[in-house]
């Protein structure tokens, strides 16, 4: 299926568009139900306080639907992305058959990361975008000020990540180059080169992890400020019911949870841009290489 094609995320989405499209439909359905739950919890709280049981029943049915869709999606996803990994491995083995086993082994492993991105990171990103949009809309429903605060924080997060993108790309390049040497070093069956190789892998992984930790810390400070501001504003400036206050705080926190997936998704995209350069047979030189 992938013979003589560019091995990129775009190609995989084109070749397997119907299978991946169904998973995306299930993801969107699951995400749509998930983001509605805090609102229905608020309705249930107000309903039970007023002696009405029907909103509570609606909440229960919504949660049952969420479980059913989630189970079906995960069963289906495993089969779809397993097929993509098989086809990617076959295509890479044929394309790089003249390379040393060390490089071929490493690149087949890197190729699987494209399928991993489609299965793990991309659904998270899709769900996160939906959470962003729906949370902002519902916060606007309660008060434009709440939605404005969320948008300001989102802009701040994207700006913070922009500062770190080049660093992520550089450390991923170094890590991938070292990984490609692993089988060759193992074939030497010598303790010293293996020790140096493993220490270098550890060094690059630590640098990636440290950069990610700093990024998370900066973003989390912004998100804490959002949740605390919206809680203060809802209780001090809005005349709403306890259920509505719960919904406001819940959607502020959902916005924060969705925001925390952003740096992971963007970091994965940075890594895949470097991997795609290798799988296309080009020498990676800088962070301006074309995206996966």
């Amino acid at each position: 299926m992938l013979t003589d094609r560019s091995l990129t995320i775009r190609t995989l989405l084109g070749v397997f568009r119907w299978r991946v499209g169904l998973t995306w439909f299930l993801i969107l359905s699951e995400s749509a139900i998930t983001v509605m739950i805090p609102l229905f919890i608020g309705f249930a709280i107000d309903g039970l306080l007023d002696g009405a049981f029907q909103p509570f029943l609606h909440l229960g049915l919504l949660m049952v639907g969420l479980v059913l869709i989630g189970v079906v999606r995960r069963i289906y996803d495993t089969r779809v992305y397993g097929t993509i990994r098989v086809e990617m491995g076959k295509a890479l083995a044929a394309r790089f058959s003249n390379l040393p086993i060390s490089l071929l082994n490493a690149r087949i492993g890197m190729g699987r990361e494209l399928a991993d991105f489609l299965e793990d990171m991309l659904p998270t990103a899709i769900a996160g975008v939906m959470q962003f949009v729906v949370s902002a809309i519902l916060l606007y429903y309660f008060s434009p000020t709440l939605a404005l605060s969320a948008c300001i924080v989102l802009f701040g997060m994207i700006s913070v990540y922009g500062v770190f993108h080049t660093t992520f790309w550089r450390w991923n390049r170094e890590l991938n180059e070292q990984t490609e040497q692993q089988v060759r070093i193992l074939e030497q069956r010598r303790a010293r080169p293996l020790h140096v190789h493993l220490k270098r892998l550890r060094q690059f992984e630590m640098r990636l992890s440290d950069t990610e930790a700093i990024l998370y810390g900066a973003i989390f400070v912004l998100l804490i400020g959002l949740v605390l501001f919206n809680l203060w504003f809802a209780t001090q400036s809005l005349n709403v019911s306890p259920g509505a206050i719960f919904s406001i705080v819940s959607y502020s926190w959902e916005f924060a949870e969705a925001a925390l997936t952003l740096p992971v998704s963007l970091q994965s995209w940075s890594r895949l841009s470097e991997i795609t350069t290798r799988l296309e047979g080009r020498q990676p030189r800088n962070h301006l290489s074309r995206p996966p």
Side-chain angles (χ1 to χ4, degrees), residues 27 43 50 78 102 141 168 190 207 249 259 264 279:
I27 290 167
F43 291 156
D50 293 336
T78 302
S102 176
Y141 168 76
F168 279 128
R190 295 169 54 196
R207 288 174 178 174
V249 174
V264 178
L279 300 186

Side-chain angles (χ1 to χ4, degrees), residues 194-208:
L194 178 60
H195 178 68
V196 172
H197 167 69
L198 295 176
K199 286 192 68 176
R200 286 177 178 171
L201 288 179
R202 174 178 175 270
Q203 180 184 25
F204 297 136
E205 289 167 349
M206 286 174 57
R207 288 174 178 174
L208 275 169

